[in-house]
Amino acid sequence: QATQVLNAIKQYEVVTSGGLSMLKPGDNPYWGGPDCLNPSYFAPGYYRAFAQYAPASGDAAFWQTLANDTYTLLNRMANLTTGLVPNWATSSGAASTCANNTDYAIFGWDAIRSPWRIAVDYVWWGTPEAKAYLERINGWSMGIGPVALLDEYTLDGSPWATPTGGRPAPSHNARASGAWAAAALAHDQATADAYVAEAVANKNYGPTASAYYPMSLRVLYLMLASGQFTTCGNNG
């Protein structure tokens, strides 16, 4: 069953453009490919795990290439100072309107997952590119501190001032605390401890109607920080 899923992802959800392999947001033709990417879906740590259990000859190289090319794409999309990426982007690094919402260009409720995705690659495999990316985020976030970081920013690190669709203003909630804590895992123990402690303490889930999202993410963030989110394989 797992092999069937991996083969389907490879066939229907990965596209190559400009010499780079990249994960599409889905298998529907609507998503197109290089002009409609969601960087918070990029999961290079998973791809490296898939490579270890590649079901067919050549698949290991396919997954490793997808993992490595992730960082070329992320570095194109990310702000040079903060490391923040947009909710939706093209393979050239520009923000993309493909998702039909007005928040596509900010680090928002989609992009908030990106630090955790990359932290998984760092924690599982010690990937140098993952550490370098996360430390760019840490360099910015540590200037604000774990108890004040919000969940939506412009890419230059300014709080998002005009949320749309009736959504609340950016706030210090569980969705935010866990994301920044995941990034801090790549810094030092004292910093990681301080950020994770805030993620444990912060149970602000926002409006009840959308509370499932930060609650779910909080579980994943804290599992990673506590060593309980693993490949269940060669790296323990």
Side-chain angles (χ1 to χ4, degrees):
Q1 290 174 330
T3 297
Q4 184 178 8
V5 172
L6 295 189
N7 285 338
I9 295 172
K10 179 183 177 183
Q11 182 174 356
Y12 299 111
E13 294 189 355
V14 177
V15 64
T16 299
S17 178
L20 295 173
S21 296
M22 58 199 74
L23 185 77
K24 295 166 56 177
D27 64 353
N28 190 306
Y30 163 79
W31 295 116
D35 292 327
C36 189
L37 302 173
N38 188 314
S40 76
Y41 293 177
F42 296 167
Y46 292 12
Y47 311 153
R48 298 187 206 284
F50 298 164
Q52 291 201 340
Y53 303 97
S57 176
D59 280 2
F62 169 85
W63 292 114
Q64 287 289 2
T65 297
L66 186 60
N68 295 336
D69 287 353
T70 290
Y71 290 97
T72 300
L73 293 167
L74 278 179
N75 287 323
R76 288 178 182 177
M77 298 170 181
N79 181 277
L80 292 175
T81 301
T82 65
L84 302 182
V85 295
N87 286 328
W88 293 90
T90 70
S91 61
S92 66
S96 173
T97 61
C98 67
N100 295 322
N101 68 63
T102 56
D103 296 342
Y104 62 89
I106 69 163
F107 181 90
W109 287 12
D110 276 290
I112 195 74
R113 296 169 293 196
S114 295
W116 167 69
R117 296 284 194 193
I118 303 307
V120 169
D121 194 26
Y122 175 70
V123 171
W124 285 0
W125 312 110
T127 305
E129 292 83 359
K131 180 175 175 62
Y133 175 76
L134 294 171
E135 289 289 44
R136 197 187 321 174
I137 291 176
N138 291 330
W140 166 76
S141 73
M142 290 168 62
I144 300 173
V147 300
L149 284 158
L150 307 176
D151 62 343
E152 291 188 295
Y153 288 95
T154 59
L155 300 195
D156 66 3
S158 301
W160 179 232
T162 55
T164 59
R167 284 162 48 174
S171 66
H172 178 67
N173 54 50
R175 177 173 45 243
S177 292
W180 309 122
L185 298 177
H187 197 63
D188 58 37
Q189 191 64 55
T191 301
D193 287 348
Y195 274 71
V196 172
E198 178 59 20
V200 171
N202 190 346
K203 297 182 180 180
N204 172 16
Y205 301 122
T208 301
S210 58
Y212 77 94
Y213 185 53
M215 292 175 82
S216 299
L217 289 179
R218 183 173 181 268
V219 171
L220 296 171
Y221 295 152
L222 294 180
M223 285 180 66
L224 181 67
S226 60
Q228 298 178 77
F229 192 86
T230 77
T231 65
C232 302
N234 292 342
N235 75 326

